[in-house]
PDB file of all heavy atoms in Angstrom:
ATOM      1  N   TRP A  53     149.406 -33.408  79.926  1.00 98.00           N
ATOM      2  CA  TRP A  53     149.793 -33.065  81.332  1.00 98.00           C
ATOM      3  C   TRP A  53     151.036 -32.143  81.275  1.00 98.00           C
ATOM      4  O   TRP A  53     152.168 -32.525  80.898  1.00 98.00           O
ATOM      5  CB  TRP A  53     150.108 -34.266  82.249  1.00 98.00           C
ATOM      6  CG  TRP A  53     150.203 -33.879  83.674  1.00 98.00           C
ATOM      7  CD1 TRP A  53     151.213 -33.482  84.341  1.00 98.00           C
ATOM      8  CD2 TRP A  53     149.195 -33.853  84.603  1.00 98.00           C
ATOM      9  NE1 TRP A  53     150.982 -33.143  85.558  1.00 98.00           N
ATOM     10  CE2 TRP A  53     149.749 -33.430  85.831  1.00 98.00           C
ATOM     11  CE3 TRP A  53     147.774 -34.273  84.501  1.00 98.00           C
ATOM     12  CZ2 TRP A  53     148.928 -33.162  87.026  1.00 98.00           C
ATOM     13  CZ3 TRP A  53     147.001 -34.053  85.760  1.00 98.00           C
ATOM     14  CH2 TRP A  53     147.608 -33.508  86.935  1.00 98.00           C
ATOM     15  N   GLY A  54     150.820 -30.918  81.632  1.00 98.00           N
ATOM     16  CA  GLY A  54     152.061 -30.049  81.579  1.00 98.00           C
ATOM     17  C   GLY A  54     151.523 -28.568  81.845  1.00 98.00           C
ATOM     18  O   GLY A  54     150.349 -28.413  82.207  1.00 98.00           O
ATOM     19  N   ARG A  55     152.347 -27.561  81.792  1.00 98.00           N
ATOM     20  CA  ARG A  55     152.079 -26.213  81.964  1.00 98.00           C
ATOM     21  C   ARG A  55     151.203 -25.625  80.913  1.00 98.00           C
ATOM     22  O   ARG A  55     151.349 -25.992  79.723  1.00 98.00           O
ATOM     23  CB  ARG A  55     153.241 -25.342  82.119  1.00 98.00           C
ATOM     24  CG  ARG A  55     154.317 -25.868  83.030  1.00 98.00           C
ATOM     25  CD  ARG A  55     155.621 -24.963  82.938  1.00 98.00           C
ATOM     26  NE  ARG A  55     156.707 -25.456  83.673  1.00 98.00           N
ATOM     27  CZ  ARG A  55     157.590 -26.330  83.150  1.00 98.00           C
ATOM     28  NH1 ARG A  55     157.447 -26.755  81.896  1.00 98.00           N
ATOM     29  NH2 ARG A  55     158.661 -26.814  83.910  1.00 98.00           N
ATOM     30  N   PRO A  56     150.216 -24.782  81.186  1.00 98.00           N
ATOM     31  CA  PRO A  56     149.444 -24.236  80.162  1.00 98.00           C
ATOM     32  C   PRO A  56     150.323 -23.369  79.220  1.00 98.00           C
ATOM     33  O   PRO A  56     150.032 -23.187  78.040  1.00 98.00           O
ATOM     34  CB  PRO A  56     148.385 -23.326  80.897  1.00 98.00           C
ATOM     35  CG  PRO A  56     148.975 -23.118  82.221  1.00 98.00           C
ATOM     36  CD  PRO A  56     149.794 -24.300  82.518  1.00 98.00           C
ATOM     37  N   GLU A  57     151.321 -22.771  79.825  1.00 98.00           N
ATOM     38  CA  GLU A  57     152.361 -22.028  78.939  1.00 98.00           C
ATOM     39  C   GLU A  57     153.016 -22.846  77.884  1.00 98.00           C
ATOM     40  O   GLU A  57     153.529 -22.319  76.938  1.00 98.00           O
ATOM     41  CB  GLU A  57     153.424 -21.410  79.909  1.00 98.00           C
ATOM     42  CG  GLU A  57     152.920 -20.391  80.906  1.00 98.00           C
ATOM     43  CD  GLU A  57     152.314 -20.987  82.185  1.00 98.00           C
ATOM     44  OE1 GLU A  57     152.279 -22.213  82.311  1.00 98.00           O
ATOM     45  OE2 GLU A  57     151.906 -20.097  82.980  1.00 98.00           O
ATOM     46  N   ASP A  58     153.037 -24.189  77.982  1.00 97.00           N
ATOM     47  CA  ASP A  58     153.740 -25.118  77.077  1.00 97.00           C
ATOM     48  C   ASP A  58     152.731 -25.857  76.266  1.00 97.00           C
ATOM     49  O   ASP A  58     153.025 -26.840  75.628  1.00 97.00           O
ATOM     50  CB  ASP A  58     154.576 -26.143  77.886  1.00 97.00           C
ATOM     51  CG  ASP A  58     155.653 -25.433  78.700  1.00 97.00           C
ATOM     52  OD1 ASP A  58     156.052 -24.260  78.407  1.00 97.00           O
ATOM     53  OD2 ASP A  58     156.088 -26.047  79.722  1.00 97.00           O
ATOM     54  N   TRP A  59     151.515 -25.391  76.197  1.00 97.00           N
ATOM     55  CA  TRP A  59     150.498 -26.213  75.491  1.00 97.00           C
ATOM     56  C   TRP A  59     150.924 -26.469  74.055  1.00 97.00           C
ATOM     57  O   TRP A  59     151.481 -25.619  73.333  1.00 97.00           O
ATOM     58  CB  TRP A  59     149.178 -25.366  75.388  1.00 97.00           C
ATOM     59  CG  TRP A  59     148.091 -25.803  74.430  1.00 97.00           C
ATOM     60  CD1 TRP A  59     147.707 -25.314  73.350  1.00 97.00           C
ATOM     61  CD2 TRP A  59     147.235 -26.945  74.779  1.00 97.00           C
ATOM     62  NE1 TRP A  59     146.613 -25.991  72.811  1.00 97.00           N
ATOM     63  CE2 TRP A  59     146.342 -26.989  73.647  1.00 97.00           C
ATOM     64  CE3 TRP A  59     147.096 -27.846  75.835  1.00 97.00           C
ATOM     65  CZ2 TRP A  59     145.366 -28.007  73.595  1.00 97.00           C
ATOM     66  CZ3 TRP A  59     146.025 -28.779  75.762  1.00 97.00           C
ATOM     67  CH2 TRP A  59     145.248 -28.856  74.687  1.00 97.00           C
ATOM     68  N   ASN A  60     150.735 -27.753  73.575  1.00 94.00           N
ATOM     69  CA  ASN A  60     151.135 -28.176  72.226  1.00 94.00           C
ATOM     70  C   ASN A  60     150.015 -28.733  71.514  1.00 94.00           C
ATOM     71  O   ASN A  60     150.247 -29.406  70.476  1.00 94.00           O
ATOM     72  CB  ASN A  60     152.256 -29.116  72.356  1.00 94.00           C
ATOM     73  CG  ASN A  60     151.997 -30.391  73.150  1.00 94.00           C
ATOM     74  OD1 ASN A  60     150.805 -30.652  73.447  1.00 94.00           O
ATOM     75  ND2 ASN A  60     153.005 -31.137  73.608  1.00 94.00           N
ATOM     76  N   GLY A  61     148.790 -28.449  71.867  1.00 96.00           N
ATOM     77  CA  GLY A  61     147.568 -28.989  71.231  1.00 96.00           C
ATOM     78  C   GLY A  61     147.148 -28.038  70.185  1.00 96.00           C
ATOM     79  O   GLY A  61     147.797 -27.209  69.527  1.00 96.00           O
ATOM     80  N   SER A  62     145.784 -27.974  69.933  1.00 95.00           N
ATOM     81  CA  SER A  62     145.082 -27.222  68.944  1.00 95.00           C
ATOM     82  C   SER A  62     145.432 -25.733  69.165  1.00 95.00           C
ATOM     83  O   SER A  62     145.359 -25.292  70.238  1.00 95.00           O
ATOM     84  CB  SER A  62     143.590 -27.460  68.971  1.00 95.00           C
ATOM     85  OG  SER A  62     143.282 -28.773  68.601  1.00 95.00           O
ATOM     86  N   ASP A  63     145.683 -25.044  68.056  1.00 95.00           N
ATOM     87  CA  ASP A  63     145.954 -23.586  68.178  1.00 95.00           C
ATOM     88  C   ASP A  63     145.426 -22.856  66.876  1.00 95.00           C
ATOM     89  O   ASP A  63     146.035 -23.083  65.875  1.00 95.00           O
ATOM     90  CB  ASP A  63     147.434 -23.352  68.387  1.00 95.00           C
ATOM     91  CG  ASP A  63     147.835 -21.951  68.619  1.00 95.00           C
ATOM     92  OD1 ASP A  63     146.866 -21.105  68.969  1.00 95.00           O
ATOM     93  OD2 ASP A  63     149.019 -21.608  68.483  1.00 95.00           O
ATOM     94  N   PRO A  64     144.371 -22.174  67.054  1.00 96.00           N
ATOM     95  CA  PRO A  64     143.577 -21.831  68.242  1.00 96.00           C
ATOM     96  C   PRO A  64     142.666 -22.973  68.694  1.00 96.00           C
ATOM     97  O   PRO A  64     142.535 -23.954  67.885  1.00 96.00           O
ATOM     98  CB  PRO A  64     142.673 -20.707  67.753  1.00 96.00           C
ATOM     99  CG  PRO A  64     142.509 -20.960  66.251  1.00 96.00           C
ATOM    100  CD  PRO A  64     143.849 -21.462  65.760  1.00 96.00           C
ATOM    101  N   ARG A  65     142.293 -22.983  69.922  1.00 98.00           N
ATOM    102  CA  ARG A  65     141.514 -24.036  70.514  1.00 98.00           C
ATOM    103  C   ARG A  65     140.074 -23.990  70.016  1.00 98.00           C
ATOM    104  O   ARG A  65     139.531 -23.001  69.658  1.00 98.00           O
ATOM    105  CB  ARG A  65     141.556 -23.994  72.000  1.00 98.00           C
ATOM    106  CG  ARG A  65     142.915 -24.146  72.580  1.00 98.00           C
ATOM    107  CD  ARG A  65     142.941 -24.379  74.109  1.00 98.00           C
ATOM    108  NE  ARG A  65     142.414 -23.183  74.794  1.00 98.00           N
ATOM    109  CZ  ARG A  65     142.192 -23.159  76.152  1.00 98.00           C
ATOM    110  NH1 ARG A  65     142.415 -24.210  76.840  1.00 98.00           N
ATOM    111  NH2 ARG A  65     141.834 -22.049  76.772  1.00 98.00           N
ATOM    112  N   PRO A  66     139.466 -25.169  69.907  1.00 98.00           N
ATOM    113  CA  PRO A  66     138.009 -25.260  69.452  1.00 98.00           C
ATOM    114  C   PRO A  66     137.057 -24.521  70.496  1.00 98.00           C
ATOM    115  O   PRO A  66     137.434 -24.387  71.645  1.00 98.00           O
ATOM    116  CB  PRO A  66     137.627 -26.668  69.346  1.00 98.00           C
ATOM    117  CG  PRO A  66     138.748 -27.321  70.321  1.00 98.00           C
ATOM    118  CD  PRO A  66     139.965 -26.480  70.269  1.00 98.00           C
ATOM    119  N   THR A  67     135.941 -24.123  69.905  1.00 98.00           N
ATOM    120  CA  THR A  67     134.925 -23.402  70.712  1.00 98.00           C
ATOM    121  C   THR A  67     133.548 -24.035  70.549  1.00 98.00           C
ATOM    122  O   THR A  67     133.413 -24.589  69.574  1.00 98.00           O
ATOM    123  CB  THR A  67     134.871 -21.816  70.523  1.00 98.00           C
ATOM    124  OG1 THR A  67     134.517 -21.713  69.081  1.00 98.00           O
ATOM    125  CG2 THR A  67     136.275 -21.168  70.702  1.00 98.00           C
ATOM    126  N   LEU A  68     132.728 -23.721  71.564  1.00 98.00           N
ATOM    127  CA  LEU A  68     131.328 -24.033  71.321  1.00 98.00           C
ATOM    128  C   LEU A  68     130.532 -22.860  71.458  1.00 98.00           C
ATOM    129  O   LEU A  68     130.588 -22.067  72.471  1.00 98.00           O
ATOM    130  CB  LEU A  68     130.810 -25.096  72.396  1.00 98.00           C
ATOM    131  CG  LEU A  68     131.682 -26.448  72.469  1.00 98.00           C
ATOM    132  CD1 LEU A  68     131.131 -27.332  73.587  1.00 98.00           C
ATOM    133  CD2 LEU A  68     131.561 -27.198  71.158  1.00 98.00           C
ATOM    134  N   LYS A  69     129.609 -22.596  70.454  1.00 98.00           N
ATOM    135  CA  LYS A  69     128.968 -21.314  70.440  1.00 98.00           C
ATOM    136  C   LYS A  69     127.434 -21.541  70.406  1.00 98.00           C
ATOM    137  O   LYS A  69     126.904 -22.160  69.523  1.00 98.00           O
ATOM    138  CB  LYS A  69     129.418 -20.649  69.100  1.00 98.00           C
ATOM    139  CG  LYS A  69     128.666 -19.313  68.700  1.00 98.00           C
ATOM    140  CD  LYS A  69     129.088 -18.854  67.389  1.00 98.00           C
ATOM    141  CE  LYS A  69     128.381 -17.653  66.865  1.00 98.00           C
ATOM    142  NZ  LYS A  69     128.921 -17.211  65.497  1.00 98.00           N
ATOM    143  N   ALA A  70     126.783 -21.022  71.419  1.00 98.00           N
ATOM    144  CA  ALA A  70     125.343 -21.114  71.510  1.00 98.00           C
ATOM    145  C   ALA A  70     124.757 -19.943  70.741  1.00 98.00           C
ATOM    146  O   ALA A  70     125.089 -18.849  70.702  1.00 98.00           O
ATOM    147  CB  ALA A  70     124.916 -21.055  73.049  1.00 98.00           C
ATOM    148  N   THR A  71     123.620 -20.308  70.017  1.00 98.00           N
ATOM    149  CA  THR A  71     122.947 -19.429  69.143  1.00 98.00           C
ATOM    150  C   THR A  71     121.454 -19.670  69.254  1.00 98.00           C
ATOM    151  O   THR A  71     121.023 -20.524  70.089  1.00 98.00           O
ATOM    152  CB  THR A  71     123.341 -19.542  67.702  1.00 98.00           C
ATOM    153  OG1 THR A  71     123.058 -20.894  67.239  1.00 98.00           O
ATOM    154  CG2 THR A  71     124.805 -19.374  67.526  1.00 98.00           C
ATOM    155  N   THR A  72     120.623 -18.968  68.422  1.00 98.00           N
ATOM    156  CA  THR A  72     119.220 -19.228  68.482  1.00 98.00           C
ATOM    157  C   THR A  72     118.854 -20.644  67.989  1.00 98.00           C
ATOM    158  O   THR A  72     117.788 -21.251  68.378  1.00 98.00           O
ATOM    159  CB  THR A  72     118.482 -18.253  67.598  1.00 98.00           C
ATOM    160  OG1 THR A  72     119.025 -18.343  66.282  1.00 98.00           O
ATOM    161  CG2 THR A  72     118.690 -16.829  68.168  1.00 98.00           C
ATOM    162  N   THR A  73     119.676 -21.210  67.220  1.00 98.00           N
ATOM    163  CA  THR A  73     119.423 -22.675  66.834  1.00 98.00           C
ATOM    164  C   THR A  73     120.120 -23.740  67.682  1.00 98.00           C
ATOM    165  O   THR A  73     119.822 -24.834  67.568  1.00 98.00           O
ATOM    166  CB  THR A  73     119.836 -22.834  65.297  1.00 98.00           C
ATOM    167  OG1 THR A  73     121.266 -22.491  65.236  1.00 98.00           O
ATOM    168  CG2 THR A  73     119.057 -21.953  64.387  1.00 98.00           C
ATOM    169  N   LYS A  74     121.012 -23.262  68.421  1.00 98.00           N
ATOM    170  CA  LYS A  74     121.663 -24.169  69.434  1.00 98.00           C
ATOM    171  C   LYS A  74     121.573 -23.478  70.839  1.00 98.00           C
ATOM    172  O   LYS A  74     122.538 -22.791  71.256  1.00 98.00           O
ATOM    173  CB  LYS A  74     123.216 -24.358  69.054  1.00 98.00           C
ATOM    174  CG  LYS A  74     123.332 -25.248  67.788  1.00 98.00           C
ATOM    175  CD  LYS A  74     124.798 -25.670  67.625  1.00 98.00           C
ATOM    176  CE  LYS A  74     125.073 -26.676  66.498  1.00 98.00           C
ATOM    177  NZ  LYS A  74     126.403 -27.051  66.311  1.00 98.00           N
ATOM    178  N   PRO A  75     120.450 -23.540  71.397  1.00 98.00           N
ATOM    179  CA  PRO A  75     120.290 -22.759  72.639  1.00 98.00           C
ATOM    180  C   PRO A  75     121.007 -23.210  73.830  1.00 98.00           C
ATOM    181  O   PRO A  75     121.471 -24.403  73.828  1.00 98.00           O
ATOM    182  CB  PRO A  75     118.718 -22.854  72.906  1.00 98.00           C
ATOM    183  CG  PRO A  75     118.347 -24.169  72.142  1.00 98.00           C
ATOM    184  CD  PRO A  75     119.291 -24.258  71.022  1.00 98.00           C
ATOM    185  N   ALA A  76     121.129 -22.334  74.910  1.00 98.00           N
ATOM    186  CA  ALA A  76     121.780 -22.790  76.022  1.00 98.00           C
ATOM    187  C   ALA A  76     121.169 -21.949  77.157  1.00 98.00           C
ATOM    188  O   ALA A  76     121.795 -21.083  77.822  1.00 98.00           O
ATOM    189  CB  ALA A  76     123.271 -22.471  75.969  1.00 98.00           C
ATOM    190  N   SER A  77     119.949 -22.233  77.477  1.00 98.00           N
ATOM    191  CA  SER A  77     119.163 -21.447  78.442  1.00 98.00           C
ATOM    192  C   SER A  77     119.870 -21.586  79.789  1.00 98.00           C
ATOM    193  O   SER A  77     119.776 -20.545  80.666  1.00 98.00           O
ATOM    194  CB  SER A  77     117.805 -21.921  78.545  1.00 98.00           C
ATOM    195  OG  SER A  77     117.131 -21.683  77.312  1.00 98.00           O
ATOM    196  N   ASP A  78     120.334 -22.672  80.211  1.00 98.00           N
ATOM    197  CA  ASP A  78     121.034 -22.943  81.523  1.00 98.00           C
ATOM    198  C   ASP A  78     122.275 -22.044  81.622  1.00 98.00           C
ATOM    199  O   ASP A  78     122.376 -21.289  82.652  1.00 98.00           O
ATOM    200  CB  ASP A  78     121.376 -24.370  81.707  1.00 98.00           C
ATOM    201  CG  ASP A  78     121.771 -25.091  80.462  1.00 98.00           C
ATOM    202  OD1 ASP A  78     122.233 -24.324  79.447  1.00 98.00           O
ATOM    203  OD2 ASP A  78     121.770 -26.337  80.404  1.00 98.00           O
ATOM    204  N   VAL A  79     123.176 -22.061  80.670  1.00 98.00           N
ATOM    205  CA  VAL A  79     124.402 -21.366  80.737  1.00 98.00           C
ATOM    206  C   VAL A  79     124.140 -19.779  80.595  1.00 98.00           C
ATOM    207  O   VAL A  79     124.710 -19.022  81.353  1.00 98.00           O
ATOM    208  CB  VAL A  79     125.400 -21.796  79.702  1.00 98.00           C
ATOM    209  CG1 VAL A  79     126.720 -21.160  79.951  1.00 98.00           C
ATOM    210  CG2 VAL A  79     125.535 -23.303  79.696  1.00 98.00           C
ATOM    211  N   ALA A  80     123.247 -19.434  79.695  1.00 98.00           N
ATOM    212  CA  ALA A  80     122.891 -18.016  79.507  1.00 98.00           C
ATOM    213  C   ALA A  80     122.247 -17.472  80.701  1.00 98.00           C
ATOM    214  O   ALA A  80     122.528 -16.301  81.156  1.00 98.00           O
ATOM    215  CB  ALA A  80     122.033 -17.888  78.299  1.00 98.00           C
ATOM    216  N   GLY A  81     121.304 -18.325  81.367  1.00 98.00           N
ATOM    217  CA  GLY A  81     120.675 -17.779  82.614  1.00 98.00           C
ATOM    218  C   GLY A  81     121.683 -17.627  83.735  1.00 98.00           C
ATOM    219  O   GLY A  81     121.573 -16.547  84.420  1.00 98.00           O
ATOM    220  N   GLU A  82     122.631 -18.507  83.843  1.00 98.00           N
ATOM    221  CA  GLU A  82     123.580 -18.401  84.921  1.00 98.00           C
ATOM    222  C   GLU A  82     124.538 -17.302  84.672  1.00 98.00           C
ATOM    223  O   GLU A  82     124.943 -16.513  85.617  1.00 98.00           O
ATOM    224  CB  GLU A  82     124.362 -19.725  85.158  1.00 98.00           C
ATOM    225  CG  GLU A  82     125.288 -19.689  86.268  1.00 98.00           C
ATOM    226  CD  GLU A  82     124.687 -19.454  87.664  1.00 98.00           C
ATOM    227  OE1 GLU A  82     123.930 -20.356  88.087  1.00 98.00           O
ATOM    228  OE2 GLU A  82     124.914 -18.338  88.202  1.00 98.00           O
ATOM    229  N   SER A  83     124.954 -17.103  83.473  1.00 98.00           N
ATOM    230  CA  SER A  83     125.815 -15.987  83.054  1.00 98.00           C
ATOM    231  C   SER A  83     125.137 -14.648  83.316  1.00 98.00           C
ATOM    232  O   SER A  83     125.724 -13.687  83.844  1.00 98.00           O
ATOM    233  CB  SER A  83     126.237 -16.070  81.594  1.00 98.00           C
ATOM    234  OG  SER A  83     126.975 -17.278  81.317  1.00 98.00           O
ATOM    235  N   SER A  84     123.892 -14.610  83.044  1.00 99.00           N
ATOM    236  CA  SER A  84     123.045 -13.422  83.297  1.00 99.00           C
ATOM    237  C   SER A  84     123.070 -13.156  84.821  1.00 99.00           C
ATOM    238  O   SER A  84     123.302 -12.022  85.181  1.00 99.00           O
ATOM    239  CB  SER A  84     121.542 -13.597  82.856  1.00 99.00           C
ATOM    240  OG  SER A  84     120.788 -12.557  83.282  1.00 99.00           O
ATOM    241  N   ALA A  85     122.940 -14.163  85.575  1.00 98.00           N
ATOM    242  CA  ALA A  85     122.855 -13.904  87.056  1.00 98.00           C
ATOM    243  C   ALA A  85     124.137 -13.415  87.507  1.00 98.00           C
ATOM    244  O   ALA A  85     124.189 -12.524  88.339  1.00 98.00           O
ATOM    245  CB  ALA A  85     122.516 -15.295  87.732  1.00 98.00           C
ATOM    246  N   ALA A  86     125.206 -13.945  87.092  1.00 98.00           N
ATOM    247  CA  ALA A  86     126.634 -13.531  87.421  1.00 98.00           C
ATOM    248  C   ALA A  86     126.827 -12.130  87.144  1.00 98.00           C
ATOM    249  O   ALA A  86     127.351 -11.304  87.929  1.00 98.00           O
ATOM    250  CB  ALA A  86     127.595 -14.425  86.819  1.00 98.00           C
ATOM    251  N   MET A  87     126.413 -11.707  85.864  1.00 99.00           N
ATOM    252  CA  MET A  87     126.752 -10.294  85.462  1.00 99.00           C
ATOM    253  C   MET A  87     125.823  -9.338  86.124  1.00 99.00           C
ATOM    254  O   MET A  87     126.201  -8.250  86.512  1.00 99.00           O
ATOM    255  CB  MET A  87     126.643 -10.272  83.978  1.00 99.00           C
ATOM    256  CG  MET A  87     127.566 -11.104  83.286  1.00 99.00           C
ATOM    257  SD  MET A  87     127.669 -11.095  81.482  1.00 99.00           S
ATOM    258  CE  MET A  87     128.841  -9.861  81.181  1.00 99.00           C
ATOM    259  N   ALA A  88     124.549  -9.764  86.545  1.00 99.00           N
ATOM    260  CA  ALA A  88     123.683  -8.815  87.187  1.00 99.00           C
ATOM    261  C   ALA A  88     124.165  -8.569  88.587  1.00 99.00           C
ATOM    262  O   ALA A  88     124.238  -7.471  89.155  1.00 99.00           O
ATOM    263  CB  ALA A  88     122.249  -9.409  87.236  1.00 99.00           C
TER     264      ALA A  88
END
């Protein structure tokens, strides 16, 4: 609980990466709609 400017956790922060073996049709479809 604090300012994002004062973050003291993981650096860099962890990420989740969708690929052909870890699909994300829902997020990819919505991201496509947003960008279109």
Side-chain angles (χ1 to χ4, degrees):
W53 192 274
R55 307 176 188 90
E57 294 84 359
D58 298 336
W59 172 254
N60 58 16
S62 299
D63 186 18
R65 297 192 293 174
T67 61
L68 299 179
K69 176 183 175 182
T71 62
T72 57
T73 58
K74 289 188 174 183
S77 297
D78 36 20
V79 188
E82 184 61 69
S83 299
S84 170
M87 298 181 95

